[in-house]
């Protein structure tokens, strides 16, 4: 006896599920999941064009706020969530460069392809995996400072207040951790 094959439906990514929950139900938990997934990736993407850490954080916050506010404009039939969010980030970054009268980096001058580049997206995911592993190999006190500063979005002063450690200690641990990460990840580029 043979079974009839059910029509196959394309697999929907977890990010698409979350984005649809935000769009359709204003689901804050789904938005938090999107934020946790995209914020560090967007920050890295933005900083690769020469944007400062503080400005990259500001742009990421603005992009994610735009994602929340304009979630009704997301259409999974037109673009993947990542492509939609990265386009918002790219547009916001161009606005910042123009506002500051800085020349646009070469990679921002050209319109991206209508379809997201799967190999580039895979490379970003692979880089994120390597970064997570490298962070995991840091000394616990360095890892804690990196997580608070870059994932927790805290300033050095806020970390000092939260932990009770001197500001100089915070800065030294972050600097040493970044040097180690830079050394471990130098072959990515």
């Amino acid at each position: 006896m043979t079974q009839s094959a059910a029509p196959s439906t394309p697999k929907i990514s977890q990010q698409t599920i979350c984005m649809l929950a935000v769009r359709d139900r204003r689901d804050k938990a789904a938005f938090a999941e999107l934020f946790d997934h995209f914020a560090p990736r967007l920050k890295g993407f933005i900083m690769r064009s020469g944007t400062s850490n503080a400005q990259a954080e500001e742009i990421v916050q603005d992009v994610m706020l735009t994602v929340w506010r304009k979630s009704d404009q997301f259409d999974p039939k037109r673009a993947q969530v990542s492509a939609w969010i990265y386009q918002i980030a790219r547009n916001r970054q161009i606005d910042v460069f123009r506002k500051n009268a800085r020349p646009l980096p070469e990679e921002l001058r050209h319109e991206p392809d209508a379809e997201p580049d799967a190999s580039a997206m895979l490379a970003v995911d692979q880089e994120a995996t390597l970064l997570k592993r490298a962070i995991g190999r840091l000394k616990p006190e360095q890892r804690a400072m990196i997580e608070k500063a870059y994932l927790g979005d805290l300033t050095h002063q806020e970390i000092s207040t939260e932990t009770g450690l001197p500001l100089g200690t915070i800065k030294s641990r972050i600097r040493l951790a970044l040097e180690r990460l830079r050394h471990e990840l130098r072959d990515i580029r």
Side-chain angles (χ1 to χ4, degrees):
M1 182 174 195
T2 61
Q3 292 180 320
S4 61
S8 66
T9 55
K11 186 173 190 244
I12 298 176
S13 71
Q14 181 62 29
Q15 289 76 33
T16 301
I17 292 168
C18 289
M19 191 64 228
L20 292 173
V22 170
R23 182 189 75 181
D24 299 340
R25 299 187 311 274
R26 305 301 284 170
D27 187 322
K28 291 179 181 173
F31 180 74
E33 192 172 328
L34 281 174
F35 191 96
D36 290 345
H37 178 80
F38 283 107
R41 290 166 173 83
L42 287 170
K43 185 175 178 184
F45 170 75
I46 291 164
M47 288 183 71
R48 278 194 283 275
S49 69
T51 303
S52 71
N53 179 51
Q55 193 165 38
E57 288 177 7
E58 185 178 321
I59 291 170
V60 168
Q61 294 290 328
D62 195 41
V63 167
M64 295 309 294
L65 183 60
T66 301
V67 167
W68 174 260
R69 288 181 178 159
K70 296 188 175 190
S71 61
D72 62 316
Q73 296 177 11
F74 172 69
D75 182 358
K77 293 179 183 123
R78 293 185 60 211
Q80 292 181 11
V81 176
S82 57
W84 187 68
I85 291 175
Y86 276 87
Q87 184 63 44
I88 293 170
R90 182 183 171 282
N91 291 343
R92 178 66 182 115
Q93 194 174 11
I94 288 171
D95 291 344
V96 168
F97 277 103
R98 286 182 179 150
K99 177 182 170 192
N100 296 332
R102 290 173 47 192
L104 289 178
E106 187 63 34
E107 64 266 16
L108 292 180
R109 290 186 186 159
H110 305 290
E111 285 296 317
D113 298 332
E115 285 296 311
D117 181 359
S119 64
M121 292 174 67
L122 177 62
V124 168
D125 279 343
Q126 288 172 340
E127 286 178 9
T129 300
L130 290 172
L131 179 59
K132 285 178 189 175
R133 286 185 193 146
I135 290 172
R137 289 190 294 267
L138 291 172
K139 293 179 182 177
E141 61 274 7
Q142 292 175 346
R143 182 175 54 248
M145 294 304 116
I146 291 292
E147 288 172 348
K148 289 178 185 303
Y150 293 97
L151 304 177
D153 228 11
L154 298 176
T155 65
H156 294 169
Q157 185 59 54
E158 290 168 334
I159 295 170
S160 178
T161 302
E162 181 182 299
T163 63
L165 293 170
L167 192 56
T169 301
I170 304 294
K171 290 180 178 184
S172 292
R173 288 181 181 175
I174 290 173
R175 181 182 49 77
L176 291 170
L178 289 175
E179 285 176 11
R180 181 159 179 204
L181 289 174
R182 193 174 299 118
H183 176 74
E184 287 199 31
L185 300 173
R186 71 180 175 273
D187 296 331
I188 287 181
R189 289 306 217 166

